[in-house]
Amino acid sequence: MANNSTDHHPANSVNDGSYEGDFGCSVDELRDLMELRSGEAVNRIRETYGGVPNICRKLKTSPVEGLSGNPSDLEKRRQIYGKNFIPPKKAKTFLQLVWEALQDVTLIILEIAAIISLGLSFYHPQGSDNEQCGEVSAGVEDEGEAQAGWIEGAAILFSVIIVVLVTAFNDWSKEKQFRGLQSRIEQEQKFTVIRKSQVIQIPVAELVVGDIAQIKYGDLLPADGILIQGNDLKIDESSLTGESDQVKKSLEKDPMLLSGTHVMEGSGRMVVSAVGVNSQTGIIFTLLGANEGAEEDKKSKKAKAQDGVALEIQPLKSEEGVESEEKEKKVIKVPKKEKSVLQGKLTRLAVQIGKAGLIMSAITVIILVLYFVIHTFGVMGRPWLAECTPIYIQYFVKFFIIGVTVLVVAVPEGLPLAVTISLAYSVKKMMKDNNLVRHLDACETMGNATAICSDKTGTLTMNRMTVVQAYVGGTHYRQIPDPEALNPKMLELIVNGISVNSAYTSKILPPEKEGGLPRQVGNKTECALLGFVLDLKQDYQAVRNEIPEEKLYKVYTFNSVRKSMSTVLSEPSGGFRMYSKGASEIILRKCTQILDQEGELGPFKSRDRDEMVKKVIEPMACDGLRTICLAYRDFPAGTEPDWDNEGNILSDLTCISVVGIEDPVRPEVPEAIQMCQRAGITVRMVTGDNINTARAIATKCGILQPGEDFLCLEGKEFNTLIRNEKGEVEQEKLDKVWPRLRVLARSSPTDKHTLVKGIIDSTVEEQRQVVAVTGDGTNDGPALKKADVGFAMGIAGTDVAKEASDIILTDDNFSSIVKAVMWGRNVYDSISKFLQFQLTVNVVAVIVAFTGACITQDSPLKAVQMLWVNLIMDTFASLALATEPPTQSLLLRRPYGRNKPLISRTMMKNILGHAVYQLTIIFTLLFAGETFFDIDSGRNAPLHSPPSEHYTIVFNTFVMMQLFNEINARKIHGERNVFDNIFRNPIFCAVVLGTFGAQIIIVEFGGKPFSCSGLSLSQWFWCIFIGVGELLWGQLICTVPTSRLKFLKEAGHGPMKEEIQHEELQEDVDEIDHAEMEMRRGQILWFRGLNRIQTQMDVVYTFQTGGTSLQGALRRQPSTISQHLDAKHVSSPTHVALSSATSPPATSAAASVGN
């Protein structure tokens, strides 16, 4: 196969500036052309357009020089052919979000109760002052007070409005933040094009039709194009077609390149022929309704639900009611990694709390109603009078409101908020620590990590390669040889071999600052070799100018299977010369000759090879150097070899030289690895390098400690140990290897995937391992996908790797991973802190409301007060406790593991201990407070009586105790100093002081709506004094050893082992979280928290899955369509679903489009 290249288009036609005439091809013509494949497309291009060069001519562009870059020309192209941008769905308006928040079941119940209460308070039938109806408001001096019955209903409505506005505002700000992050990443995503003969990188959105784009291994194509010249180009089109086989692209057979597909091998140039909504991906997206107007919302409900959670962050709430939401959920669940550990635990916990709350509130209402009925009609013996009915109904409404209030307080609805705030806050801060989080839950999963499988190059090392040793002509030079010392023939072979046989995109540019190091652009190993040419006082650019890329006859590009690269040139004599370079042991095996000092050919037998390995390669490797062998082969004129028979072509080589490339360890890495080991995380190095090099680097990093029992294996050896006779991986065999394995050298991406999967699936340890993996190559996709957290390299990583990852390391540095661990653990702890605080409030409030209501027929904490506690304490406390910054001490403990309950026994001790204190105080105040403070009793007050000082003191003391307990909640492991680092968190201080200020205003000026009456200074001091008692009580609780309290139970466990095994059986089936299954069974859709938690969890879930869209508007679509298809068509593990799992849906529509 000759090199695919086209003849040049005259340069002046680009620069002549005459653009009055329109272009020679319309949008529709190009769109039709791009819908053709292989042979059809080749014929259409030849017959209709007269070849690719003519298409370039019609588009007024040059295949060599590209566009002129003239702004008016670019603008005109955008007007005619469109921009390279697919408009995302319109964000929901604030009012839509308000409407969504109003759908909350409990809020609706409260609204109805409040409206009934309001209506009845204005309705005064004749018999209302009939004494036989019982006490309505006996003992009220002012008649006007009796008319104020409407206030409570109005206040509840007002509180509901605040809750709704806060919820809507939270959703809205999250949406805004998410879109901001997304657009930032879109701007960062660049693509290489040629303009004015210069190779430049431009943001993907600026690509126009007619641009000449350079494509290389690992790219994700941002627009449709037609191939102009290609070397060994293979594309993964599974994201559009669902076929996992790689498609070879060439001018003769199939020159059509489609947006959203991945370049798996090779390189080339294409002319951009369709962008944005006119590209193949854009057309599919339009079919899916991604950019339809909002007015079609109802009609396209299904299509919309499927078009891009990637593009939006609203909860997937179906207006047709919850059942259809449930059904739809079943349909659109994605085969993604199992739900995050934290989410699973939280959902289970919320279900349990919700059930308990529902039962408590039902019992409360039943007891109140029964007591009232028995007392009024039984004990008092009153008849049911028709004119009294409204008054009785008013009582019943009041009981109903009390019941709903108990429920409202029971469900910790600040919980989802705390999770969201904590994750969003961490993600924002992690950006500063060079972690770009694409899936929100990855941040929290990282806190549980027990193993990190890291690449070597660029992550543990600096990825600044330099040649420091060389073996040339039988001499081993420990420094770069002097060019004078080398034979001119040898020198020419070295220079030509390196200059031509490396990607032309790799170059060395002058330093940015004076005195700095030269900049390496492109593949770092190739840059090291080019640097070697410069050190030999030669110029690689002159050779490249003489032999431009178009003149290369055939290129075998580097890939992980070949581990080498070869370039064939045609000689003037009619023969061919091929230059090769690659891993030394691989190339040397294919060499049969070697050049001696004089540049003459000498034989190279296996004995010579073994000697060379021992004397040259091993010493280099033990110094931590990568060894690369340079070789060549001449093919005589006459018959042309069969270039597709690679085995024959890559044999009989002549060795020119072996060079040793140094890549120094990053200075901060050894300390970071030590921190990981202290934190109970095992670091393993998985590299494609020679085992001696890998061992040397691993020792420098501290992965290998002297005197430890560890394994360093090569890929081959590893496979022999873990596979049976049939070549299948056996988990039992793997379980014997991985616990001691520290270095896996000469490994293929499949080995990496096998190792990661094996560690995750292992049941040897009592805890399931949580594995983080770093990767930069296209082939790392499957391993990154399989890992619990995949880290892609922001600088060296290919687009495919980034697409498959959860977090992108913007500085490619291992120490950033340690920061991610710290933030992850912090998220977990923040949520535990919030839970500890929240559950104490809930336990106390529910018991007070319940017993109070049963004994005194009225809740000591009124509905509005409960809502204030619930709304402000929940929302603000979630803000205060979820934004605690992480400390180094987080890295001094082992990971919690997947099965550790959210609420540990220490936390349970704190919750129950503080609840005992608070309940004792509140019941003492409730039943004896009037004598202590010498005030009127507030118990057994009639229906519309004014607020009493007695109940105000109870309410105020309750809030003060919560405030001081919030400070206690900052510590969850039984630490004594609860004020430690408190000023490092200004949000916490502001929230505590703000809540205190608001409480003063409510008590002193809240009046009837808040059922409060002003308190004297001494009463205030007593309330605060009792509150401060919380801190002292906290110290007392700390002294009680948890180990003594055997009766304490933990809560909020993850899924059980048998559930996990059951889950693994259905690995290919769409996975469903267990807590969610419980919900589906459950009749639980009835109460506030769950619905809210579902909504919020969906938001969080959308955040994570939507995070995948961060690769930019264009990069989103392919993956949307591909996940399902990939899952269906995958056969070999190498191509496992490389496209990322974005929005749950988009599959059924896409399937029909794809087929």
Side-chain angles (χ1 to χ4, degrees), residues 1111-1127:
Q1111 281 303 307
L1114 279 171
R1115 307 181 146 233
R1116 268 191 300 267
Q1117 315 81 12
S1119 34
T1120 315
I1121 296 151
S1122 66
Q1123 322 122 17
H1124 221 67
L1125 304 171
D1126 278 2

Side-chain angles (χ1 to χ4, degrees), residues 71-348:
S72 59
D73 172 39
L74 297 178
E75 192 45 49
K76 186 171 181 190
R77 287 174 192 273
R78 284 193 192 103
Q79 281 168 5
I80 295 174
Y81 296 112
K83 293 182 177 166
N84 196 23
F85 173 69
I86 295 177
K89 212 163 89 174
K90 274 209 314 226
K92 290 196 179 172
T93 61
F94 188 69
L95 286 174
Q96 282 172 306
L97 292 170
V98 166
W99 175 247
E100 252 173 24
L102 278 168
Q103 310 297 307
D104 186 13
V105 178
T106 322
L107 285 182
I108 292 172
I109 297 173
L110 271 177
E111 287 154 21
I112 293 168
I115 289 165
I116 295 173
S117 166
L118 267 177
L120 290 172
S121 67
F122 292 124
Y123 173 53
H124 289 282
Q126 283 76 34
S128 62
D129 45 3
N130 184 333
E131 282 197 9
Q132 287 182 300
C133 296
E135 326 162 359
V136 175
S137 56
V140 176
E141 294 133 38
D142 183 4
E143 269 304 304
E145 283 282 14
Q147 305 300 317
W150 62 274
I151 291 181
E152 186 164 21
I156 292 178
L157 278 182
F158 180 67
S159 304
V160 166
I161 289 167
I162 289 181
V163 172
V164 165
L165 289 177
V166 168
T167 311
F169 179 74
N170 275 327
D171 289 349
W172 179 80
S173 56
K174 266 184 305 213
E175 155 106 2
K176 193 161 167 276
Q177 194 181 9
F178 183 71
R179 283 180 185 253
L181 190 64
Q182 194 173 296
S183 63
R184 190 189 138 175
I185 289 174
E186 278 168 23
Q187 287 155 13
E188 280 178 6
Q189 202 233 312
K190 302 244 182 6
F191 208 72
T192 311
V193 296
I194 301 172
R195 285 190 182 167
K196 263 202 209 152
S197 305
Q198 296 290 315
V199 177
I200 56 166
Q201 287 205 322
I202 59 167
V204 161
E206 287 180 21
L207 276 177
V208 293
V209 170
D211 256 324
I212 305 298
Q214 284 198 346
I215 52 177
K216 60 182 186 308
Y217 157 84
D219 281 344
L220 193 153
L221 301 182
D224 291 356
I226 303 167
L227 191 66
I228 299 175
Q229 175 256 325
N231 302 320
D232 205 14
L233 200 59
K234 286 185 187 161
I235 308 276
D236 171 13
E237 293 189 346
S238 59
S239 55
L240 286 180
T241 62
E243 297 298 329
S244 58
D245 296 339
Q246 293 175 12
V247 183
K248 275 191 172 180
K249 296 286 176 183
S250 66
L251 275 174
E252 300 82 40
K253 296 198 178 107
D254 185 0
M256 310 313 262
L257 300 169
L258 309 173
S259 57
T261 58
H262 297 129
V263 181
M264 300 307 280
E265 235 177 81
S267 61
R269 286 204 315 266
M270 71 172 189
V271 56
V272 175
S273 58
V275 293
V277 287
N278 297 312
S279 67
Q280 290 303 296
T281 307
I283 292 167
I284 291 175
F285 241 55
T286 314
L287 289 176
L288 289 175
N291 49 3
E292 287 172 9
E295 66 279 357
E296 293 176 54
D297 206 73
K298 290 233 164 56
K299 275 182 264 173
S300 63
K301 191 83 205 160
K302 281 251 163 60
K304 274 247 175 103
Q306 297 182 340
D307 71 20
V309 182
L311 299 177
E312 59 165 16
I313 183 179
Q314 286 86 23
L316 284 171
K317 260 199 153 185
S318 136
E319 278 130 43
E320 294 89 45
V322 188
E323 283 148 359
S324 66
E325 178 185 5
E326 294 301 305
K327 282 180 203 147
E328 200 146 309
K329 263 200 192 161
K330 281 184 189 164
V331 178
I332 65 177
K333 207 74 171 111
V334 187
K336 191 190 178 296
K337 297 170 196 166
E338 64 200 71
K339 210 171 191 180
S340 98
V341 187
L342 182 66
Q343 251 177 294
K345 290 178 183 176
L346 282 176
T347 323
R348 285 173 87 90

Side-chain angles (χ1 to χ4, degrees), residues 803-990:
E803 188 84 350
S805 68
D806 301 297
I807 297 178
I808 295 172
L809 294 177
T810 51
D811 63 347
D812 287 14
N813 192 337
F814 185 84
S815 59
S816 301
I817 299 178
V818 182
K819 289 182 183 146
V821 172
M822 206 155 81
W823 277 107
R825 292 187 173 189
N826 191 52
V827 166
Y828 209 91
D829 279 9
S830 296
I831 284 155
S832 292
K833 288 171 190 174
F834 175 72
L835 267 175
Q836 178 174 302
F837 169 72
Q838 171 79 65
L839 292 180
T840 313
V841 180
N842 289 16
V843 167
V844 175
V846 169
I847 294 176
V848 168
F850 175 69
T851 46
C854 296
I855 297 168
T856 66
Q857 283 68 66
D858 187 9
S859 171
L861 298 172
K862 300 289 180 286
V864 179
Q865 294 172 351
M866 289 278 212
L867 279 170
W868 151 248
V869 168
N870 204 38
L871 169 81
I872 306 297
M873 302 291 276
D874 278 15
T875 308
F876 282 6
S878 65
L879 191 64
L881 291 167
T883 53
E884 288 270 315
T887 57
Q888 288 289 338
S889 60
L890 287 166
L891 294 174
L892 298 177
R893 60 167 176 78
R894 299 188 68 72
Y896 282 147
R898 300 180 78 84
N899 307 337
K900 166 144 189 337
L902 269 174
I903 300 167
S904 64
R905 285 175 58 190
T906 309
M907 286 168 64
M908 197 57 98
K909 175 183 79 176
N910 292 343
I911 291 171
L912 297 177
H914 287 293
V916 166
Y917 173 83
Q918 295 183 12
L919 288 169
T920 312
I921 296 283
I922 282 176
F923 284 130
T924 309
L925 286 176
L926 192 58
F927 297 111
E930 69 271 29
T931 49
F932 179 79
F933 286 107
D934 193 21
I935 48 178
D936 295 333
S937 167
R939 293 193 300 282
N940 299 326
L943 197 58
H944 293 310
S945 54
S948 64
E949 273 186 329
H950 182 191
Y951 272 21
T952 305
I953 288 174
V954 173
F955 166 58
N956 198 26
T957 309
F958 178 68
V959 173
M960 288 301 124
M961 289 193 294
Q962 303 319 327
L963 263 185
F964 287 99
N965 194 29
E966 199 166 331
I967 299 172
N968 277 330
R970 292 183 69 243
K971 300 293 173 195
I972 51 174
H973 299 302
E975 300 94 328
R976 282 191 177 279
N977 182 3
V978 290
F979 292 101
D980 183 33
N981 284 330
I982 195 165
F983 295 115
R984 271 187 67 202
N985 186 0
I987 298 179
F988 184 88
C989 304

Side-chain angles (χ1 to χ4, degrees), residues 264 318 391 670 681 718 803 827 1043 1056 1060 1131:
M264 300 307 280
S318 136
I391 288 165
I681 301 167
F718 172 69
E803 188 84 350
V827 166
S1043 51
M1056 299 301 139
I1060 288 176
S1131 50

